[in-house]
Amino acid sequence: MILQNSLISYQIAWSWENWREEFSQKIIKNRKVISRSLINKNNIDRRYDFLTSSKYNKRIYNIKKSRLIRFNKFLGNIDRENKTFFLNHYQNMEWLLQNISQIMNRPANSKTLTFAIKMFWYWSRIVFSKTIYYPHNIAIPIDSRLKKIYETSTNKKISNKTKDKKTLESFFNNLSQKHKIPPLHLDSILRIDYRKKYISK
């Protein structure tokens, strides 16, 4: 569900915190029903109903539903009798990303795909009580926050054009290599720094 939810967590209304809280409360309220739908490997209709009634993530819900339908192929691959299924994914996040990339027919460096891996890591670290570092070759998810950090650091304005996105990716990948920090871990560090500098004031 974390991977599924991450893939439709874009163009949300208000803050990420509000959307995550809404999502969490929905799970708590309907836990038994949701568990049954996951066992049956089809919770698309329920998730779609949730999107259309959501306060914080109801934009372009038909497009997001198409993502849920496509991702349902991943649910079909889950071996629920294999207790190490998700642990194996945690131990090989690069393979997980490539698998999702093929199913979703999206580049592996797409923001929502790399964000999904990041969220899966948080869950896995808690569930398995084990810290496995992100792979170095999973790209940082480029967003407006990183764009602002780049502009502040370099005094250069940047647009949303493809070439400028590549400039951002290159900048943060170089920063990752320089400090020997996997890009997704770097993203977490920058998020804290961003909050201190731009949000807490």
Side-chain angles (χ1 to χ4, degrees), residues 73-189:
K73 295 178 182 177
F74 179 84
L75 294 179
N77 294 332
I78 294 177
D79 182 0
R80 297 189 179 277
E81 300 301 319
N82 183 357
K83 294 182 180 180
T84 64
F85 181 84
F86 285 108
L87 177 60
N88 292 337
H89 284 69
Y90 182 39
Q91 293 172 332
N92 195 346
M93 286 176 276
E94 183 182 1
W95 180 86
L96 174 61
L97 175 60
Q98 293 300 326
N99 189 13
I100 295 175
S101 174
Q102 291 178 2
I103 289 173
M104 302 303 295
N105 194 27
R106 297 283 298 165
N109 65 343
S110 296
K111 182 171 68 174
T112 50
L113 267 61
T114 54
F115 174 72
I117 299 300
K118 185 176 181 182
M119 295 298 103
F120 176 77
W121 181 87
Y122 285 121
W123 172 83
S124 298
R125 184 179 176 183
I126 294 169
V127 171
F128 300 117
S129 299
K130 183 178 182 180
T131 300
I132 298 175
Y133 294 118
Y134 290 117
H136 276 270
N137 53 356
I138 295 183
I140 193 170
I142 299 297
D143 57 14
S144 59
R145 175 179 48 86
L146 291 184
K147 178 182 174 182
K148 187 167 185 176
I149 290 173
Y150 172 84
E151 291 178 339
T152 303
S153 302
T154 63
N155 291 319
K156 295 179 181 177
K157 289 292 183 181
I158 200 160
S159 69
N160 292 322
K161 295 180 179 178
T162 302
K163 65 174 184 178
D164 284 345
K165 181 182 177 183
K166 290 181 178 179
T167 297
L168 285 172
E169 289 177 345
S170 177
F171 175 82
F172 288 106
N173 283 336
N174 289 338
L175 192 62
S176 171
Q177 292 175 14
K178 178 181 177 181
H179 296 284
K180 298 181 180 179
I181 302 173
L184 289 181
H185 286 300
L186 177 64
D187 185 55
S188 298
I189 295 170

Side-chain angles (χ1 to χ4, degrees), residues 41-54:
K41 300 180 180 179
N42 186 3
N43 67 340
I44 294 174
D45 290 340
R46 175 168 290 278
R47 290 308 309 274
Y48 181 71
D49 290 341
F50 178 33
L51 282 175
T52 57
S53 61
S54 171

